[in-house]
Amino acid sequence: MMLNKHGSKVKGFICSVVAATVLMAGSFVAQSADYQPNFKNTEITEFINIVGKNLKRTIIVDPNVRGKISVRSFDMLNEEQYYQFFLNVLEVYDFAVVEMPNGILKVKRSKDAKSSNIPVVDSEGFDGDEMITRVIPVYNVPVRELAPILRQLNDQTGGGNVVAHDPSNVMMITGRAAVVNRLVEIIKLVDRAGDEEVEVVKLKFASASELVRIIDAINNSQAKQNAGGKSTPRVVADDRTNSVIVSGDIKARQRLINLIERMDQDLETSGNTRVEYLNYAKAEDLVKVLQGVSAGIQSEAQGGGTQQRRGSSNREVSIDSHEDSNSLVITAEPDMMRSLLDVIRQLDIRRAQVQVEAIIVEVFEGDGVTLGMQLVSEDGGGTQFTNGVIGVGSLGVALREAEDEITTVTNISNDGTPVQTTDTIQGNLTPLAQLLGGANGLIAGVIRGGWGAVVQAVSTDTNSNILATPHLTTMDNEEAFFIVGQEVPIITGTSTGSNNSNPFQTVDRQEVGIKLKVTPQINEGDAVQMTIEQEVSSVSGATSVDISINKREIKTTVIVDDGGTIVLGGLIDEDVQESVSKVPFLGDIPILGHLFKTTTTSKRKRNLMVFLRPTIVREGSVMNDISHRKYNYIRTQQLKRQAEGISLMPNVEGPTLPPWDDALTLPPSFEEYITDKEKQDNN
C-alpha cells in the first residue's frame, strides 16, 4: 500500500512536471474558457495550430509563413481577447489573417493579404489587426489631394493600400482595422465644409468679363492655394447683369471684393478706347453692324427716359476697322463698350462650312438601221431620197466622168490613105472617190448601159455612260462657283466697210462644261438650305449659222439633312423613229417595191439624273479627314498608273503625289545628316 501510495504520488508529480514543461514550451492553462498564453522560441506554425485547436477554427497556413515566436501573457484572456492576441502576434511578425465567407482563416504574409478576399465594411465594427477594406465618401475635400497624405500614414509595405476615385470623390482604404479606423477619423476631421459662401458684386463701370480675366491671371501667376488646405477662390462673370460672382473662404472673398471695387472706377474720356482683335470675322464687315447697334442703344436710352450718367448724352461712339490686323478700334462709354463687346463675342465665331457634291449620271443608248436603193441615169434621171447615204447628184457626176472617148485622125505616109484611130482615155475619177469617201456601211452597186444602181445597208449602235461628281466647299451663307470646261467662240455679229471692204466679225466666248453654283445656309437640326444652279453643256456640232450647244440646267432651292442625298432633277427619254422614202406606186409593190424605196429606223434611250449631297463641316479635324481621303484617292490612281508603266518608255516614272504626311516632315538637322551619311559610308 505504501509503495502504491508512493507510486501514485510519483505519478502525480511526474504529471505536474510534464504539465509545467508543456506550459513553458507553448501550451495554455485554461480555466472557465480563459486563456493565459505563454510561448518561448516556438515555431509559428505550431503556434497557429494550437490557437486553431483552442478556438476550434480551421486555419490554412501559407507555405511562406515561417519562423519562431516568443510571447507571454500575464493576464487571463477570454475567447475574443485571445483571438485578438493571435492577430496581434501575427501582425508583429508581419503576417495577417484573412477570414473567408465560410469561416475558414488563411494566414498569409501581410503584403500578399491585400489582394485576397478581404471583407469590405462600411462601419466601425472591426477594431483590431484583421485586414479589412472601407469605402469612405468625401464631401468637401478633393480625394486626389487627400490620398497622398493618407498613404504616408498607412502601412503600404505591410498590406495597406489607399486608392482615390475622382469621379465619385470616394476613398478606398485597405489595411488592418485599427489603422483603417484611424485614417477614417482623420478624413472626418479634414472633410469639413469651410466658409465658402457665394457673393455677387454688381459693377457700375467696368466689364465683368474683363475683370474676371484679370483676376484669373493674378491667381494663376501666384500658383498656390490658401492656407489650411482650402480651395482657391473662384470668380465667374455674369455678362447679362454685368456682375462678378465670388466664391471661397471669407478672407479670400473679401480680398477679391476689395480688388474688384478698386478696379470698378469710371474712366476719363481720352482713355476709354479699346482695340479688339478678331479671330474669324472681318473687321470692315462688323463696323456697320456695331454702328447700327450703338445708334439703336443711344436712341433707346435718350427717348425711353432711362437715367443717364453724367455727361453720357454728349458722348459719341467711334468705331473704326484696321484691315491689316483685322481689328476694331472702339471709343465709347463703359456701358456702351460692354454692349458692343458682347455683340462682337457673339459674331466673332468660327463659322461652319458645307461641302457640296453634285452627282451627274447619264446613260445613253442609240440604235439605227438604214436599208435602201438609189437608181440613176447617166443623163441625170433617177431616184432621190433624203434619208439615203448616197446622193443622186454625186452618183450621176461619177457616171458621166468615169469614161471619156477621144477620136484622133492620123495620115499614114506609106500608101497615102488616111486612117481614123480611136483612143479611150480614163476620165475624171474624183467625184467617184468623193462619193465613196462619204459612204459608210455596206454599199453594193452596178453600172450598165448608162444606168447605175446602188444598194446601201447601215446599222449604228451608240452607248455612253457618263458620271461626273463636281464638288466644292464653302462657308455658311457664302456663294461658291465651280466650272470645268472651256470657252467656245460664238459669232455675235458681222459688219463691213462703206464699200464692202475690210469685213470683220464680232465674237463672244461662252463657257461650256460642268458648272455648279451653290449658296448653303445651315438651319437648326443640321439641315442645309441651298440655292443651287447646276448646268451641264457641250458642243453638239456646227450649223449653217454657227455651232449648236447642248445644255442641261437646273435652278432650285432645296433643304437637305447633313450627309443626305436628294435628287434635283432627271430625264427618262425613249424615242423610236421610222422613216420611209419611196417612189409612188412602185414602192408599194410587194417585194419589188424595195427597189424603189429607202427605210431608216432609229431608237434612242436616255436616262439622266442629278443628285446632291451636302456635308456640314464644323471642325478642322473633319475637314482634314475629308481632304485626306480625297488626297489618298488621287494618289492611289497615280500609283496604279505608275505600276502599269508608260508605253514605249519603261524607264520613265509617271508623276505621283507625295504621301500625306511628307509635307509635315521637317528636314534633318546637321547632326542627323552627318550621322546618316556616316552610316551610308560604312555600309
Side-chain angles (χ1 to χ4, degrees), residues 73-99:
S73 175
F74 295 96
D75 297 331
M76 300 302 295
L77 306 178
N78 57 26
E79 185 173 343
E80 182 179 355
Q81 293 173 341
Y82 178 59
Y83 180 69
Q84 289 298 327
F85 167 80
F86 173 62
L87 298 178
N88 298 149
V89 172
L90 294 180
E91 189 272 336
V92 171
Y93 288 91
D94 200 19
F95 297 110
V97 175
V98 179
E99 185 174 359

Side-chain angles (χ1 to χ4, degrees), residues 288-344:
K288 295 182 179 180
V289 178
L290 297 178
Q291 288 176 348
V293 172
S294 62
I297 294 176
Q298 285 181 337
S299 62
E300 181 181 356
Q302 294 176 1
T306 305
Q307 184 179 1
Q308 303 292 314
R309 294 199 306 271
R310 183 182 58 185
S312 62
S313 59
N314 297 327
R315 303 275 295 277
E316 295 183 357
V317 178
S318 175
I319 304 173
D320 294 316
S321 64
H322 186 255
E323 297 183 5
D324 295 338
S325 61
N326 194 35
S327 59
L328 295 171
V329 182
I330 305 175
T331 302
E333 286 285 333
D335 55 348
M336 180 69 72
M337 181 72 74
R338 289 192 298 269
S339 300
L340 296 179
L341 292 180
D342 184 63
V343 174
I344 293 173

Side-chain angles (χ1 to χ4, degrees), residues 573-588:
D573 181 21
E574 186 171 357
D575 182 17
V576 178
Q577 295 183 356
E578 184 176 1
S579 174
V580 178
S581 298
K582 62 183 178 179
V583 177
F585 303 111
L586 296 179
D588 296 331

Side-chain angles (χ1 to χ4, degrees), residues 85-159:
F85 167 80
F86 173 62
L87 298 178
N88 298 149
V89 172
L90 294 180
E91 189 272 336
V92 171
Y93 288 91
D94 200 19
F95 297 110
V97 175
V98 179
E99 185 174 359
M100 303 303 294
N102 56 2
I104 297 177
L105 303 179
K106 294 193 299 183
V107 180
K108 308 177 69 174
R109 291 183 300 182
S110 297
K111 63 180 182 180
D112 299 331
K114 62 182 179 182
S115 60
S116 302
N117 188 17
I118 299 175
V120 179
V121 298
D122 55 358
S123 62
E124 298 180 357
F126 297 85
D127 194 16
D129 285 334
E130 56 266 41
M131 298 292 293
I132 63 171
T133 297
R134 289 193 64 177
V135 180
I136 310 301
V138 183
Y139 302 100
N140 302 293
V141 180
V143 291
R144 61 177 179 273
E145 299 177 1
L146 192 58
I149 302 174
L150 298 179
R151 290 192 183 100
Q152 297 178 9
L153 301 177
N154 198 3
D155 185 11
Q156 295 289 112
T157 61

Side-chain angles (χ1 to χ4, degrees), residues 600-644:
T600 300
T601 302
S602 63
K603 178 181 179 181
R604 296 184 303 173
K605 185 176 181 180
R606 174 182 300 170
N607 294 328
L608 173 64
M609 290 291 172
V610 180
F611 302 90
L612 195 75
R613 180 174 60 196
T615 302
I616 300 176
V617 181
R618 301 186 184 273
E619 299 178 358
S621 59
V622 178
M623 177 57 68
N624 187 68
D625 293 340
I626 295 175
S627 302
H628 194 184
R629 291 196 300 269
K630 299 290 185 181
Y631 188 94
N632 286 340
Y633 173 76
I634 295 297
R635 186 170 183 271
T636 302
Q637 297 296 322
Q638 291 182 333
L639 292 176
K640 180 181 178 182
R641 294 292 180 88
Q642 189 180 60
E644 295 174 355

Side-chain angles (χ1 to χ4, degrees), residues 226 231-233 246-257:
N226 294 329
S231 58
T232 306
V246 184
S247 66
D249 63 279
I250 184 170
K251 293 183 179 180
R253 291 201 313 271
Q254 192 59 42
R255 177 175 62 85
L256 293 180
I257 292 174

Side-chain angles (χ1 to χ4, degrees), residues 327-635:
S327 59
L328 295 171
V329 182
I330 305 175
T331 302
E333 286 285 333
D335 55 348
M336 180 69 72
M337 181 72 74
R338 289 192 298 269
S339 300
L340 296 179
L341 292 180
D342 184 63
V343 174
I344 293 173
R345 279 191 296 271
Q346 298 183 49
L347 295 179
D348 186 27
I349 59 175
R350 181 189 179 102
R351 296 167 60 186
Q353 302 181 89
V354 180
Q355 184 188 59
V356 182
E357 291 185 87
I359 305 174
I360 305 169
V361 184
E362 181 178 5
V363 179
F364 177 80
E365 298 179 0
D367 297 327
V369 178
T370 300
L371 176 63
M373 175 177 287
Q374 299 280 11
L375 300 175
V376 66
S377 172
E378 182 180 357
D379 298 331
T383 60
Q384 172 68 44
F385 301 132
T386 58
N387 60 348
V389 178
I390 303 299
V392 173
S394 299
L395 185 58
V397 173
L399 288 175
R400 286 194 300 270
E401 298 187 3
E403 289 186 354
D404 193 6
E405 293 184 356
I406 300 177
T407 303
T408 60
V409 178
T410 304
N411 294 324
I412 304 303
S413 60
N414 294 331
D415 55 1
T417 302
V419 178
Q420 184 178 2
T421 304
T422 302
D423 295 333
T424 302
I425 303 174
Q426 190 68 33
N428 186 11
L429 301 179
T430 301
L432 182 59
Q434 294 177 351
L435 172 68
L436 297 177
N440 61 349
L442 174 65
I443 299 178
V446 61
I447 299 175
R448 182 75 63 180
W451 282 85
V454 177
V455 179
Q456 50 191 353
V458 181
S459 176
T460 59
D461 188 2
T462 303
N463 292 314
S464 64
N465 184 5
I466 301 174
L467 173 63
T469 58
H471 65 276
L472 52 85
T473 303
T474 182
M475 297 181 65
D476 185 21
N477 287 314
E478 293 289 341
E479 181 183 283
F481 180 73
F482 176 89
I483 180 172
V484 175
Q486 58 184 347
E487 291 187 348
V488 178
I490 305 294
I491 299 176
T492 58
T494 303
S495 62
T496 59
S498 58
N499 55 355
N500 294 331
S501 62
N502 193 19
F504 66 93
Q505 296 177 335
T506 58
V507 179
D508 189 13
R509 295 188 177 274
Q510 181 175 344
E511 295 177 345
V512 176
I514 298 176
K515 301 179 184 179
L516 176 61
K517 182 185 293 185
V518 59
T519 303
Q521 176 183 339
I522 301 176
N523 298 334
E524 185 179 1
D526 287 340
V528 183
Q529 177 179 332
M530 293 178 292
T531 302
I532 305 162
E533 295 184 15
Q534 172 72 57
E535 178 182 323
V536 179
S537 57
S538 61
V539 178
S540 176
T543 63
S544 59
V545 178
D546 207 336
I547 62 175
S548 62
I549 297 177
N550 296 327
K551 185 177 181 181
R552 308 176 188 91
E553 184 177 5
I554 296 176
K555 293 183 179 179
T556 183
T557 301
V558 295
I559 296 180
V560 193
D561 291 335
D562 179 22
T565 302
I566 187 173
V567 57
L568 298 182
L571 172 65
I572 300 177
D573 181 21
E574 186 171 357
D575 182 17
V576 178
Q577 295 183 356
E578 184 176 1
S579 174
V580 178
S581 298
K582 62 183 178 179
V583 177
F585 303 111
L586 296 179
D588 296 331
I589 299 175
I591 302 176
L592 295 179
H594 291 287
L595 300 176
F596 304 97
K597 66 180 179 181
T598 297
T599 303
T600 300
T601 302
S602 63
K603 178 181 179 181
R604 296 184 303 173
K605 185 176 181 180
R606 174 182 300 170
N607 294 328
L608 173 64
M609 290 291 172
V610 180
F611 302 90
L612 195 75
R613 180 174 60 196
T615 302
I616 300 176
V617 181
R618 301 186 184 273
E619 299 178 358
S621 59
V622 178
M623 177 57 68
N624 187 68
D625 293 340
I626 295 175
S627 302
H628 194 184
R629 291 196 300 269
K630 299 290 185 181
Y631 188 94
N632 286 340
Y633 173 76
I634 295 297
R635 186 170 183 271

